[in-house]
Amino acid sequence: MTGKLFIVGTGPGNPAQMTPEAQDAIAVAAEFFGYGPYLDRLHLRADQRRIASDNREELDRAQAALARASQGVDVCVVSGGDPGIFAMAAAVCEAIDKGPAEWRQVDLIITPGVTAMLAVAARIGAPLGHDFCAMSLSDNLKPWGVITKRLRLAAEAGLVIALYNPISKARPWQLGKAFEVLRAVLPGSVPVIFGRAAGRPDERIAVIPLGEADPDRADMATCVIIGSLETRIVARDGKPDLVYTPRSFTGDSR
Amino acid sequence: MTGKLFIVGTGPGNPAQMTPEAQDAIAVAAEFFGYGPYLDRLHLRADQRRIASDNREELDRAQAALARASQGVDVCVVSGGDPGIFAMAAAVCEAIDKGPAEWRQVDLIITPGVTAMLAVAARIGAPLGHDFCAMSLSDNLKPWGVITKRLRLAAEAGLVIALYNPISKARPWQLGKAFEVLRAVLPGSVPVIFGRAAGRPDERIAVIPLGEADPDRADMATCVIIGSLETRIVARDGKPDLVYTPRSFTGDSR
C-alpha cells in the first residue's frame, strides 16, 4: 500500500496567503521534504518529520520523497508560491517519469498556491492585467541562447514579462544582460517592477523605467516584472503609483 | 474620509482554495460588486449588500464600486481566480486612471488568488513547470491580428501557452482558428489540456494531441493549456496520465 505524496505551495510567505487546502495537506502528512526556508514557514507538530535540503537539489528531494511514499508513508513536498511554477511539481513528475515503476502508483495530490508574480502584481495594481509570460532567468538548466531568444520574442509579441530566479551569487550578470536584450526591442520608458518578498514584513517594491533599471535592485527573493508598450502608471498624491496593463489593446496591431 | 476598496480573488471556485486574506477582506466589506456566479461563491451576512452585474460590464462595475468607496463605504470587488489575471484589478486601475481625482484617494487593497491555469496544472501534473505565457483569446478588446501574432511568436519561443476566455456564444470560432495557427508552428503530437472547472464538483480535464484538438471540448469555464516541444506525458496504470514540462531544456537551442 503506497502512501500519499502531497505537493503544496505555501504561497508568497504570508500565512494569510496560504490556502486552507494546503494547510489541510500539511496537517495530514508525516514527513516534509523541502528547501529549509520554505519548511520554516510551516508549524509542524512534534510527530512530523522535517527533511530539509538545498535549493538546487530538487530532483534528489523529489526522489527521496517518492521513495518514502512508495514505502507507505504520507509525505509532503513543500514549495514556496505555487508548486507548479518553477518549483517542485515538475521535479516530482520528472522523478516519476525516470524512476521505478512503483513510483507511478503513488497517490499524487498537488495543491496550487499564490505564485510570486501574482503577489507582486497585487501590491502595485495590475501589471499582469493582460497577456503576459513567466520565464525563469536561470541558465543552470537551459542554455542562455534560449533565454535571450524567448525574451526577444516575448517583447516583440507585446507580452508583459515576469522573471523568476532573476539573480543569484552564482548567476550575477544574467539580469543585466536580459535588460540589454529587452532595451533593444522596447523603449526605455517601459516600467520595470522589482517586487521583493511581496506580502511579507521585509517587502520592498520599486518601479523603475527600463532605461534606468539596475539589476542590483534584485535578489533571490525578487520577482521582476517588465511592462509592455501598453502598461500604464497612475500617479496618486500621497500614495504609491499604480501600474497596470489595460484590458484593451490600443497600440499598433501590425 | 474615503472607504476601502478591496479587490479579491475567490480562487477557482473550491472554497478550500480561497486564501484566508480574501476571506478576511470579505468579512470587512459592506457592499459587493461582481459577476453574479462569483458573488454566489461568497457567504454574505444579511447586513452585506450584493450588487451583481454582467460578465462584460467590468468598467461600469469598477466605476460603481469606486463611487461608493469615495462616499466612505468599504466595498469589495469580486473576481474568480486571481483578480490581477484577466480580471477586475485592471478594470479598477483603468477606472481610477480615467476617473475623477478623488478616486485616486481611495484605499485600494488587492488580495491575490489561485488563478485558473494553476488549478488546472495542479490536477494534471506540471504543464507550467517551465517558461509559459497566459493569453486571453477574447477579441472583444484587442484585434484578432494581435492575438494570432502573439500565438505564433509564443509557440516559436517554445513557451507553453495558457488560454483564458477560449470560447463563448459570441466568440465561437476563435479557439479553432488558434489551434490552426499553432499547428503551423508546432507538431500535432503536442499535448493540449482542456481544464474545465478545476477543483470543483463539475471538474472535467482532458488531454488531447494538438492535431486532434476539437474546440468544442472548451466552454467559458475552461482554461486551455497547449504544451511546448518539451512537454511530456507520463502514463500510469489505473491512474490519469501526468503531463509536465521539465525544468531542463534539452531541445534545439538555435
Side-chain angles (χ1 to χ4, degrees):
Chain A
M1 177 78 186
T2 95
K4 291 188 168 65
L5 193 155
F6 297 97
I7 312 179
V8 306
T10 64
N14 177 342
Q17 294 179 334
M18 195 191 307
T19 66
E21 186 184 45
Q23 299 279 15
D24 291 349
I26 291 163
V28 164
E31 299 188 358
F32 293 77
F33 295 79
Y35 177 49
Y38 298 152
L39 294 181
D40 292 344
R41 293 179 183 171
L42 314 181
H43 299 282
L44 300 181
R45 301 184 306 266
D47 64 311
Q48 292 179 309
R49 193 173 154 225
R50 183 184 191 280
I51 301 103
S53 48
D54 189 77
N55 208 5
R56 283 164 295 183
E57 295 170 7
E58 294 185 331
L59 192 60
D60 288 349
R61 183 190 304 145
Q63 290 165 337
L66 280 159
R68 288 296 283 162
S70 67
Q71 288 165 9
V73 181
D74 289 337
V75 303
C76 183
V77 172
V78 179
S79 281
D82 176 88
I85 307 296
F86 309 116
M88 286 304 298
V92 171
C93 289
E94 183 182 337
I96 294 171
D97 195 7
K98 296 178 175 170
E102 65 261 29
W103 288 3
R104 296 185 185 222
Q105 291 311 308
V106 168
D107 273 330
L108 202 60
I109 300 124
I110 307 175
T111 72
V114 173
T115 183
M117 65 182 167
L118 304 186
V120 170
R123 295 296 289 162
I124 196 87
L128 306 176
H130 206 65
D131 301 342
F132 67 94
C133 68
M135 291 180 48
S136 168
L137 209 62
S138 170
D139 56 353
N140 290 336
L141 296 170
K142 73 187 153 184
W144 180 248
V146 170
I147 297 175
T148 55
K149 176 185 169 184
R150 288 182 178 172
L151 287 169
R152 208 182 56 246
L153 289 172
E156 284 172 4
L159 301 175
V160 170
I161 300 170
L163 294 178
Y164 283 68
N165 308 316
I167 204 161
S168 74
K169 275 181 192 149
R171 296 181 292 100
W173 55 264
Q174 284 80 346
L175 181 59
K177 194 74 191 165
F179 286 151
E180 275 181 40
V181 169
L182 294 171
R183 283 183 196 120
V185 185
L186 297 169
S189 57
V190 157
V192 176
I193 300 159
F194 292 86
R196 185 181 181 286
R200 302 209 293 272
D202 53 339
E203 172 183 291
R204 206 170 57 225
I205 313 260
V207 183
I208 313 282
L210 176 60
E212 297 162 30
D214 177 353
D216 288 346
R217 282 189 175 270
D219 66 9
M220 276 179 64
T222 306
C223 181
V224 178
I225 300 177
I226 298 116
S228 72
L229 284 173
E230 304 285 309
T231 306
R232 293 177 55 85
I233 296 179
V234 184
R236 297 184 299 172
D237 271 353
K239 290 184 190 291
D241 290 351
L242 290 175
V243 182
Y244 79 104
T245 306
R247 302 162 307 132
S248 308
F249 179 90
T250 54
D252 185 343
S253 63
R254 279 174 302 183
Chain B
M1 178 77 186
T2 93
K4 291 186 169 64
L5 192 155
F6 296 97
I7 312 179
V8 305
T10 64
N14 176 341
Q17 294 180 334
M18 194 189 310
T19 67
E21 186 185 47
Q23 299 279 16
D24 292 348
I26 291 162
V28 165
E31 300 188 358
F32 293 77
F33 295 79
Y35 176 49
Y38 297 152
L39 294 181
D40 292 344
R41 293 179 184 172
L42 313 181
H43 299 281
L44 300 181
R45 301 183 306 264
D47 65 310
Q48 292 179 308
R49 194 174 153 224
R50 184 184 191 281
I51 301 103
S53 48
D54 189 77
N55 207 5
R56 283 164 296 184
E57 295 171 5
E58 294 185 330
L59 192 60
D60 289 350
R61 182 190 305 144
Q63 290 165 336
L66 280 160
R68 289 296 284 161
S70 68
Q71 287 164 11
V73 181
D74 289 337
V75 303
C76 184
V77 173
V78 179
S79 281
D82 177 89
I85 306 296
F86 308 116
M88 287 303 299
V92 171
C93 289
E94 183 181 338
I96 293 172
D97 195 7
K98 296 178 175 169
E102 64 262 30
W103 288 4
R104 297 184 184 224
Q105 291 311 306
V106 168
D107 274 328
L108 202 61
I109 300 124
I110 306 175
T111 73
V114 173
T115 183
M117 64 182 168
L118 303 187
V120 170
R123 296 295 288 162
I124 195 86
L128 306 177
H130 205 65
D131 302 341
F132 68 94
C133 68
M135 291 180 49
S136 169
L137 210 61
S138 169
D139 55 352
N140 290 337
L141 296 169
K142 72 187 154 186
W144 180 248
V146 170
I147 297 175
T148 55
K149 176 186 168 182
R150 289 181 178 173
L151 287 170
R152 206 181 59 246
L153 290 172
E156 285 172 2
L159 301 174
V160 170
I161 300 170
L163 295 178
Y164 283 69
N165 308 316
I167 205 160
S168 74
K169 275 181 193 150
R171 295 181 293 101
W173 55 263
Q174 284 81 346
L175 181 58
K177 194 75 191 165
F179 287 151
E180 276 181 38
V181 169
L182 293 172
R183 283 183 196 120
V185 185
L186 297 169
S189 58
V190 157
V192 176
I193 300 158
F194 291 87
R196 185 181 182 285
R200 302 208 294 272
D202 53 340
E203 172 181 293
R204 206 170 56 225
I205 313 259
V207 182
I208 312 282
L210 176 60
E212 297 161 29
D214 176 354
D216 289 345
R217 283 189 175 271
D219 66 9
M220 275 179 64
T222 305
C223 180
V224 178
I225 300 177
I226 297 117
S228 73
L229 284 175
E230 305 285 309
T231 306
R232 293 177 56 85
I233 297 180
V234 184
R236 298 184 299 172
D237 271 353
K239 289 183 190 291
D241 290 351
L242 290 175
V243 181
Y244 79 103
T245 306
R247 303 161 308 132
S248 307
F249 179 89
T250 54
D252 185 343
S253 62
R254 279 173 301 183

